[in-house]
Amino acid sequence: MFIHTWPQNGRQPIDRVLIPTELRYTIIRKSINKNVNFPPFLFEIFLFAPIDVDKSSAKIGNGIILFTLYKQESSLWNALSVANIEKAAMQVIRENAVIRVQEKTKADIQARAVRKRENEKYSLEVMMKISEEERKQIENVKEEERLKASEELEKFKEQQRIEEEQRNIEKAAQRRREEEQRKNVLNNTVFTELSKPRIQAAQTRGNEKIVPPTRKTGSIKIQFTPRVFPTAVRESLLAEEEEWLQKQAAARRAINTDNLELQDLKEEERNPEWLKEKGNKLFAAGDYLAAVNALNLAIRINDKIPVLYLNRSACHLKLRNLHKTIEDASKALELLTPPVPDNAAARLKAFVRRGSAFCELELYVEGLQDYEAALKIHPDNLNVKSDAEKIRQILQGSCLVPE
């Protein structure tokens, strides 16, 4: 049995229809009548006046269906449903309601299709606009790069022109100096020939002291061969020094450009020197892991520069990665060949760091060997001497191993 109540106001009547929740039900939305059915029962009501179907709603819960119906016209109804309606009229109302529902459904489908097409069109226009903006940005970047390259080319040409003018000025000055020297030599020669008779006449007159004429003043330009190393020639290792310079030049040119991942980096991020300086700043700030990452990238770009391995060994030593410290220090020593005065400081650091890592691993024999190698490079280093003596005492058993 259906139980319903319908309190109302001027604009919004409310139907309440109570049904058991375990029964199946069907609700048909119509503007003139409402029906709810579950076999074999049917609740159908022909409303007193039309309602606004779009605003009206039905809520189901706790065994109750709650209809909220909005009137099309503001007025008070005398009753919820029309009384004494004939079956034929009811059938006509049902059919008209079904037709209106079908037309409404069809109109909604068509409206959704139109909205979908409009949304797709708007999306396409937005994508085209984004693509156009990206294309313009790319063109602007290309134009900026072209202008930058043109400016650099003009600067290079201007620099070449200035250098050429300077060379021409120096050549002209050199020619003038040579001409003046030739004139001076010629004048001295002529003066000597002219002064000989006077000198002979003076000698015949007596034993007078003959003073030769004063030479004209001049300057002689002296140039020295430039040297990279301050060592005297008799003490230098010319062959080793030349080999070291060639290795350093080759290392600076050995940049890895084949890796596709490195091509996406910025210009400065593909420069090992820039990455080395960045790693030094991070190390000074105490961010050792970030410094390792910067040096890793630098080594991927150029694995022939010994200072990169040397700096990374210091980071690993701070992070207590002792085996990696030994590997990087050994690689740095491998690249720091031949041993020359220019790389002595770097070799000293590599030996000390590797020796420290060996001692941390309690491999004191190997650590002492590295410290002794460091002392051969710099015998007056007091810190290295002190650490080497402590290691000897540990090996001799005269003191406890520090924790």
Side-chain angles (χ1 to χ4, degrees):
M1 178 178 180
F2 293 100
I3 302 173
H4 68 275
T5 61
W6 63 290
Q8 69 167 328
N9 55 34
R11 199 50 195 156
Q12 178 183 325
I14 301 177
D15 276 344
R16 286 187 174 88
V17 180
L18 306 179
I19 62 172
T21 56
E22 66 272 10
L23 299 179
R24 295 183 178 179
Y25 53 84
T26 303
I27 303 173
I28 300 178
R29 299 175 61 190
K30 301 174 184 177
S31 63
I32 254 332
N33 69 323
K34 291 284 180 183
N35 64 60
V36 179
N37 72 85
F38 55 93
F41 302 103
L42 171 66
F43 171 76
E44 184 177 39
I45 187 168
F46 292 87
L47 300 174
F48 185 81
I51 62 172
D52 191 340
V53 177
D54 294 331
K55 293 184 178 179
S56 301
S57 63
K59 295 183 179 179
I60 304 168
N62 298 325
I64 297 174
I65 298 180
L66 173 62
F67 288 96
T68 303
L69 308 177
Y70 287 85
K71 302 172 183 177
Q72 289 186 359
E73 297 180 358
S74 298
S75 63
L76 292 176
W77 294 357
N78 297 328
L80 179 62
S81 61
V82 179
N84 301 324
I85 187 171
E86 297 179 357
K87 291 185 178 181
M90 293 170 62
Q91 184 63 29
V92 171
I93 291 172
R94 291 191 188 97
E95 293 175 354
N96 291 336
V98 171
I99 291 172
R100 283 194 297 272
V101 170
Q102 291 175 348
E103 291 176 350
K104 181 67 170 54
T105 303
K106 183 177 180 181
D108 291 342
I109 293 173
Q110 292 177 351
R112 286 197 296 272
V114 171
R115 285 196 299 271
K116 182 179 179 181
R117 287 194 297 271
E118 290 177 352
N119 291 336
E120 291 176 350
K121 182 179 178 181
Y122 175 76
S123 299
L124 181 60
E125 291 176 353
V126 171
M127 292 300 296
M128 291 176 64
K129 184 177 180 180
I130 293 173
S131 299
E132 182 65 18
E133 291 177 353
E134 290 178 350
R135 185 184 63 80
K136 289 182 179 180
Q137 290 178 357
I138 292 172
E139 289 179 354
N140 292 336
V141 171
K142 289 182 178 178
E143 182 65 18
E144 291 175 358
E145 292 295 329
R146 186 186 66 79
L147 293 175
K148 183 178 178 181
S150 300
E151 291 176 357
E152 291 178 351
L153 181 60
E154 291 298 327
K155 290 180 180 179
F156 176 77
K157 290 181 178 179
E158 182 66 18
Q159 183 67 24
Q160 291 294 320
R161 185 184 64 79
I162 294 173
E163 292 177 357
E164 183 65 24
E165 290 179 355
Q166 292 178 350
R167 285 195 294 269
N168 292 334
I169 292 171
E170 291 176 357
K171 288 180 180 178
Q174 182 67 21
R175 286 196 297 269
R176 286 196 299 270
R177 288 193 295 270
E178 292 175 355
E179 186 66 24
E180 290 175 359
Q181 289 177 1
R182 284 196 298 270
K183 289 181 180 179
N184 292 335
V185 172
L186 181 60
N187 292 335
N188 291 335
T189 303
V190 172
F191 179 81
T192 303
E193 294 295 330
L194 293 175
S195 62
K196 281 183 179 180
R198 292 196 297 271
I199 295 173
Q200 292 175 356
Q203 289 177 351
T204 58
R205 288 195 301 270
N207 294 328
E208 298 180 0
K209 185 176 180 180
I210 304 302
V211 179
T214 306
R215 293 183 180 180
K216 294 183 178 181
T217 60
S219 61
I220 300 175
K221 186 177 181 180
I222 301 174
Q223 295 182 349
F224 297 94
T225 303
R227 287 185 52 77
V228 178
F229 299 97
T231 311
V233 175
R234 62 181 179 275
E235 299 176 0
S236 66
L237 304 173
L238 293 178
E240 289 79 357
E241 292 176 358
E242 186 65 25
E243 181 182 353
W244 169 249
L245 291 176
Q246 292 177 358
K247 286 183 65 175
Q248 290 296 98
R252 286 191 292 270
R253 294 192 298 269
I255 296 177
N256 181 14
T257 58
D258 298 333
N259 195 335
L260 297 178
E261 297 178 358
L262 302 179
Q263 296 178 1
D264 296 334
L265 299 176
K266 297 179 181 178
E267 183 66 26
E268 63 270 12
E269 292 176 347
R270 294 198 294 269
N271 186 355
E273 291 296 329
W274 185 86
L275 291 169
K276 178 176 76 68
E277 294 299 328
K278 185 175 181 64
N280 291 342
K281 292 179 182 179
L282 292 170
F283 183 88
D287 194 353
Y288 306 120
L289 188 58
V292 169
N293 293 334
L295 293 170
N296 287 342
L297 181 56
I299 291 172
R300 287 178 60 193
I301 296 173
N302 190 336
D303 58 354
K304 302 297 182 182
I305 301 177
V307 69
L308 299 179
Y309 294 96
L310 187 62
N311 291 357
R312 193 171 69 174
S313 68
C315 298
H316 284 312
L317 187 60
K318 290 289 186 180
L319 294 171
R320 307 289 297 173
N321 298 330
L322 302 177
H323 290 90
K324 291 184 178 180
T325 302
I326 294 171
E327 291 177 3
D328 283 347
S330 300
K331 183 64 177 179
L333 288 171
E334 178 183 342
L335 294 174
L336 290 167
T337 54
V340 293
D342 189 53
N343 59 25
R347 288 186 288 114
L348 175 67
K349 293 178 181 178
F351 280 122
V352 170
R353 288 171 187 169
R354 191 173 69 176
S356 298
F358 277 133
C359 291
E360 292 291 337
L361 293 171
E362 298 184 1
L363 300 174
Y364 298 110
V365 175
E366 291 81 357
L368 181 59
Q369 291 175 354
D370 281 343
Y371 271 92
E372 289 177 345
L375 285 174
K376 290 180 181 179
I377 298 172
H378 198 311
D380 298 329
N381 192 310
L382 298 180
N383 293 330
V384 177
K385 279 184 176 180
S386 175
D387 292 341
E389 184 61 29
K390 290 179 181 179
I391 297 171
R392 291 190 188 95
Q393 292 177 1
I394 291 172
L395 290 175
Q396 292 171 3
S398 60
C399 65
L400 295 177
V401 178
E403 295 181 0

